[in-house]
Amino acid sequence: MLPPVSRETPGWTPIAEEAERAARVLHPDRHRMPRPSHRRVMTVANQKGGVGKTTSTVNLAAALAMHGVRVLVIDLDPQGNASTALAVEHRLGTPSVYEALLGEIRIADAAVRSSASPDLLCVPATIDLAGAEIELVSMVARENRLKQALYDGSLDELGVDYVFIDCPPSLGLLTVNALVAASEVLIPIQCEYYALEGLGQLLSNIDLVRSHLNTALHVSTILLTMYDGRTKLADQVTNEVRSHFGPTVLRTVIPRSVKVSEAPGYSQTVLAYDPGSRGAMSYVDAAREISERGARMDLPADPDGR
C-alpha cells in the first residue's frame, strides 16, 4: 500500500493528494482502517437541529464499515432519518429501538444489516418512538433503559467494534438515555455563529450525566460540518472551536456539499451516492482519524465497566 500523500511528501501536488483521497473511497479493501483496542460506544449529540448529526452518524459509520470495521448505528430519533439513509425498513410495526427500550425485544433481534455494507448494522426507529419519552417517565431507572438494552450481551453477539447512537435534536429523556449508555460523545458543530449558541447547555448536561449517572462519559470528538471556505465566518468559527477544544476537534472538516444533502433522498449515504465527491472523501478522512485515535488511545471503559 502506498504511503499517504502529504505536503511533506516529495513531489506533492494538490491533484496527487485528491487522487490519493479518492482511492481510499473507491478501493476501501486496499485502505483498511484499524479496529479499536476495545469497543467504542459513541453518542452523536447536539440539541440544535440541522448541524449534521444524522448525516455525520450514517456517513462515518458507512466509511468505517467499508474499510473493515464492524459498526452498529442505533437510530434514537423518532424521525427515523438514519434508518432512511441506511435503507433500513422502519415502518410502523417493524422491530425497533422503541421495543428494546421497553424491554420487549433485544437489541440483537432488532438490528438489521444495511445494504451500504455487510459490516454495517442498524437498529431502526419507528414513529412509536415519538411517545417513548412520555412512557419512560413512569418507569424505574428510566435513564438506564438503553444501557440495559445494550449491555445484555447483544453487542458481543453482534460482534461490533463501534456503536453510534443518533440522538434527536433535544436534551430530553431519549438523549439522556444515549448519554448514559455511551462512554464517548461526538458533537457535530456547524461552521456558523448560531451553531455555537446552546453548546454550553449541552456541555453542562454532559457534565451532569457524568456526575450522577455515567462517570465514564466524556466528549472525545468534535466534528466541524457544513464548512464554506468562501466565508470568513466559517474560518472564525473553526478557529474559535479549535482554540477552545484543542485536539478534541478532528483535523478533517466536512464541507457544505449538495451531494451530501441529496444522498438521503435516495436512501443512501454519500459514500454510495457519489463516492468521488468532496463530501464522501471528507467523511472517509474523518472516519480514519476516529479509527486511528481509537487504535492508539487508552480509551476509558464502557459504562458497564468493561
Side-chain angles (χ1 to χ4, degrees):
M1 185 175 72
L2 294 175
V5 177
S6 70
R7 286 173 173 77
E8 288 72 34
T9 304
W12 174 88
T13 66
I15 294 176
E17 182 176 0
E18 288 301 306
E20 200 271 341
R21 291 178 74 200
R24 293 202 294 267
V25 179
L26 297 170
H27 304 287
D29 52 319
R30 303 179 195 171
H31 300 85
R32 295 177 74 83
M33 296 183 187
R35 297 174 63 186
S37 53
H38 66 258
R39 183 181 299 123
R40 300 179 71 180
V41 181
M42 306 179 76
T43 287
V44 184
N46 191 329
Q47 79 272 23
K48 187 179 186 304
V51 299
K53 283 190 303 298
T54 299
T55 300
S56 296
T57 299
V58 298
N59 285 300
L60 289 172
L64 288 164
M66 287 173 60
H67 292 80
V69 182
R70 193 164 173 84
V71 185
L72 172 66
V73 172
I74 296 177
D75 190 353
L76 207 60
D77 187 343
Q79 298 175 87
N81 292 335
S83 306
T84 298
L86 296 176
V88 171
E89 183 61 65
H90 60 106
R91 289 181 299 180
L92 192 64
T94 303
S96 69
V97 70
Y98 170 76
E99 288 82 10
L101 286 171
L102 297 185
E104 296 174 359
I105 62 172
R106 300 175 65 238
I107 285 285
D109 298 328
V112 180
R113 182 175 286 108
S114 168
S115 58
S117 169
D119 285 322
L120 180 54
L121 306 171
C122 177
V123 177
T126 64
I127 193 63
D128 283 333
L129 193 59
E133 294 209 48
I134 298 173
E135 295 182 55
L136 289 173
V137 166
S138 60
M139 291 187 175
V140 176
R142 60 191 180 186
E143 302 91 352
N144 291 280
R145 303 298 296 189
L146 182 59
K147 177 182 175 181
Q148 292 169 0
L150 283 179
Y151 297 106
D152 65 352
S154 285
L155 298 185
D156 291 331
E157 187 176 322
L158 296 171
V160 293
D161 301 300
Y162 282 83
V163 179
F164 288 98
I165 306 172
D166 183 38
C167 293
S170 69
L171 294 176
L173 202 46
L174 289 175
T175 299
V176 171
N177 263 268
L179 294 173
V180 173
S183 54
E184 303 180 54
V185 183
L186 188 159
I187 305 177
I189 299 178
Q190 186 180 4
C191 293
E192 292 185 3
Y193 174 74
Y194 286 128
L196 298 177
E197 291 192 339
L199 185 58
Q201 185 182 357
L202 173 62
L203 295 174
S204 295
N205 278 43
I206 291 171
D207 285 339
L208 283 172
V209 172
R210 180 168 53 239
S211 299
H212 300 286
L213 298 167
N214 179 7
T215 56
L217 186 68
H218 69 292
V219 178
S220 67
T221 311
I222 292 176
L223 176 64
L224 293 163
T225 64
M226 303 182 191
Y227 176 81
D228 188 345
R230 299 170 298 177
T231 66
K232 280 187 176 181
L233 178 61
D235 284 330
Q236 289 171 353
V237 172
T238 299
N239 293 335
E240 188 170 337
V241 172
R242 290 193 189 282
S243 65
H244 187 75
F245 293 101
T248 303
V249 186
L250 294 182
R251 296 188 305 275
T252 302
V253 174
I254 307 302
R256 187 176 291 278
S257 166
V258 173
K259 298 297 183 182
V260 171
S261 302
E262 288 177 349
Y266 296 87
S267 296
Q268 291 181 326
T269 64
V270 71
L271 281 80
Y273 179 66
D274 191 348
S277 66
R278 289 177 63 232
M281 290 190 286
S282 296
Y283 273 115
V284 170
D285 290 343
R288 188 171 296 278
E289 273 194 73
I290 290 172
S291 69
E292 288 174 352
R293 288 185 182 190
R296 68 173 181 261
M297 288 170 56
D298 184 17
L299 297 167
D302 287 337
D304 69 341
R306 287 183 291 178

